[in-house]
Amino acid sequence: MSDIHSVSSAQWNLQDLSTAQRMQALAVLEDGGVLVLPHLPFAELDTVRWLLDPKWADPRRKNISFDSTSQSLRGVHADAAVCEAVRTLMGGFQNLALVLIAALAPRYAAQMRTAPVSLRLHEVQGRQSSWRADDSRLHIDAFPSRPNRGERILRVFRNINPDGKARIWRVGEPFIDVARRFGGQVPRYRRAHAIVLNMLGMTRSVRSPYDHTMLHLHDRMKADLDYQRTCPQSSVPFAPHTTWVCFSDQTSHAAMSGQFLLEQTLHPTVAVMQNPAKAPIAVLDSMFHRSMR
Ligand code: SIN
Ligand code: FE
C-alpha cells in the first residue's frame, strides 16, 4: 500500500515545520505516497460560497479550467461577474499550491511547467463514463493526447465542500507492483504508429515508449475488474478543508465520491527530483532493461 502521510503544518510555506519534517514529506511524496495537510487555511473561499453550485458548470465537462497566463477560463456557463469570481478563486488557489510546492521541494521550480488550475463542481459518485475515463477505478494518470516523455504529474488537491462532505479516494499498491503486474501486457511500442497518431491530430506530440507504456498500464489496471476488487488498497477520506498532494502518475488512486474540489497540476522534470530513481520512467527503464525515452 502507498503511504498516507499527515503533515501538521498550518502554513502554505511550511515555515512551522523543521527542515527534517519537510525532507521527510518530500521523500514520502517521491516514493509515491500521499501527503495530507488538514490545517492549511483558505480564507478566499469564505466570500464565494455561492460559487459552489454545479449550475455554473458546463454539464458536458468534468471540470472548469483556468489558465492564469492567458486568463482564459473554460467550462463556466455564467455572466462576466461570476466568471471574474471564479478566476479569483482559482487564481488564489494556484498561488497557494505553488507556494506549497516551492516550500516542499525548492529544486522543482527550476524545471516545472504549471498546468491550468481546475475546479470540479460535480458530484463524482455515479458519473457516467466509459471504463477508460472512469476515475472510480484504480489507475495511475497518463494523458492519451498529451505525451509527456517522462515529465512528472504532480497534483495538489483541496476539498472545498461546504456541507461537511469528505472526498473519498481509494489508494492502491506502489507503482513498482503495478508495473510488475501489468508490464507484461503492454504491447510492443511502434514509433511509426505513434507518428501516425500524431499526424492524425490525436496526440499533441509523438508518444514516446514511456507514454505508450504508461497509457497501457493505466488501461490494463482499469480494465481488470478482478484487480480492482482484490489488489492491496485502502479507502482514504479527505475531509473538507483538507489539502493533499501526490504524484498521480505514480500513486494508484480512484475517486469514489465527493463534490467540490480545486486541483492544481504541476509538471516537474525528473532531473529536479530529490531522488530521480523513484520516477516511473526510472522504474520502467530498469524493469524492461531499456530506455523509455
Ligand atoms: C483523478 O485524478 O483520478 C480524480 C481525482 C478526484 O477527482 O478526486
Ligand atoms: Fe487520476
Side-chain angles (χ1 to χ4, degrees):
M1 257 283 309
S2 298
D3 200 0
I4 313 295
H5 179 78
S6 184
V7 178
S8 61
S9 180
Q11 298 179 14
W12 289 88
N13 62 12
L14 306 180
Q15 285 299 304
D16 52 354
L17 296 186
S18 66
T19 306
Q21 284 172 313
R22 283 200 293 267
M23 298 282 288
Q24 189 199 3
L26 180 58
V28 169
L29 181 70
E30 290 195 349
D31 214 15
V34 181
L35 301 182
V36 183
L37 299 106
H39 305 303
L40 299 182
F42 189 50
E44 285 81 347
L45 197 57
D46 292 342
T47 52
V48 287
R49 288 278 148 101
W50 54 271
L51 273 183
L52 300 183
D53 190 323
K55 75 178 178 200
W56 306 122
D58 183 339
R60 289 161 305 174
R61 295 174 63 113
K62 203 153 84 174
N63 46 260
I64 292 167
S65 79
F66 174 52
D67 180 334
S68 58
T69 309
S70 65
Q71 292 285 302
S72 133
L73 181 68
R74 288 165 192 268
V76 178
H77 273 183
D79 64 24
V82 173
C83 289
E84 205 38 50
V86 173
R87 280 196 184 89
T88 305
L89 174 70
M90 295 178 78
F93 177 69
Q94 177 170 77
N95 290 339
L96 292 172
L98 288 168
V99 166
L100 175 65
I101 297 306
L104 191 64
R107 279 163 49 90
Y108 286 10
Q111 291 174 25
M112 185 170 76
R113 284 191 304 123
T114 303
V117 53
S118 148
L119 171 65
R120 306 183 189 175
L121 299 179
H122 300 297
E123 167 61 50
V124 168
Q125 193 171 23
R127 272 187 80 89
Q128 296 302 311
S129 61
S130 67
W131 65 268
R132 211 177 245 123
D134 181 0
D135 287 340
S136 72
R137 300 183 189 210
L138 284 163
H139 64 283
I140 48 160
D141 287 343
F143 305 129
S145 63
R146 283 171 289 159
N148 68 18
R149 320 185 85 78
E151 198 178 52
R152 306 303 314 274
I153 305 175
L154 175 61
R155 291 190 145 160
V156 181
F157 299 90
R158 174 134 184 145
N159 182 358
I160 53 171
N161 189 287
D163 310 315
K165 192 175 173 194
R167 198 173 193 88
I168 314 281
W169 273 23
R170 287 187 293 148
V171 174
E173 59 186 355
F175 180 78
I176 190 153
D177 295 332
V178 171
R180 279 200 189 110
R181 202 183 293 250
F182 294 105
Q185 296 179 27
V186 177
R188 196 163 65 83
Y189 170 78
R190 289 196 185 79
R191 188 164 162 80
H193 183 235
I195 291 172
V196 170
L197 287 180
N198 186 230
M199 281 172 22
L200 291 174
M202 293 169 72
T203 58
R204 282 194 197 168
S205 58
V206 177
R207 277 184 198 156
S208 69
Y210 174 78
D211 297 305
H212 170 83
T213 305
M214 293 295 278
L215 270 173
H216 278 280
L217 293 180
H218 167 278
D219 287 1
R220 287 308 102 220
M221 291 173 82
K222 280 190 175 175
D224 188 336
L225 291 177
D226 190 48
Y227 174 75
Q228 291 289 328
R229 266 194 310 273
T230 60
C231 74
Q233 59 188 276
S234 65
S235 175
V236 183
F238 300 105
H241 316 298
T242 296
T243 305
W244 66 103
V245 186
C246 71
F247 275 111
S248 64
D249 53 358
Q250 178 178 11
T251 309
S252 165
H253 63 282
M256 307 313 292
S257 65
Q259 187 174 15
F260 305 121
L261 180 82
L262 278 162
E263 180 267 335
Q264 175 65 57
T265 299
L266 300 163
H267 299 288
T269 63
V270 174
V272 294
M273 289 175 63
Q274 195 66 32
N275 188 353
K278 298 283 185 183
I281 195 164
V283 172
L284 295 174
D285 277 355
S286 66
M287 189 172 291
F288 291 103
H289 305 295
R290 60 185 149 83
S291 171
M292 291 277 150
R293 259 155 249 275

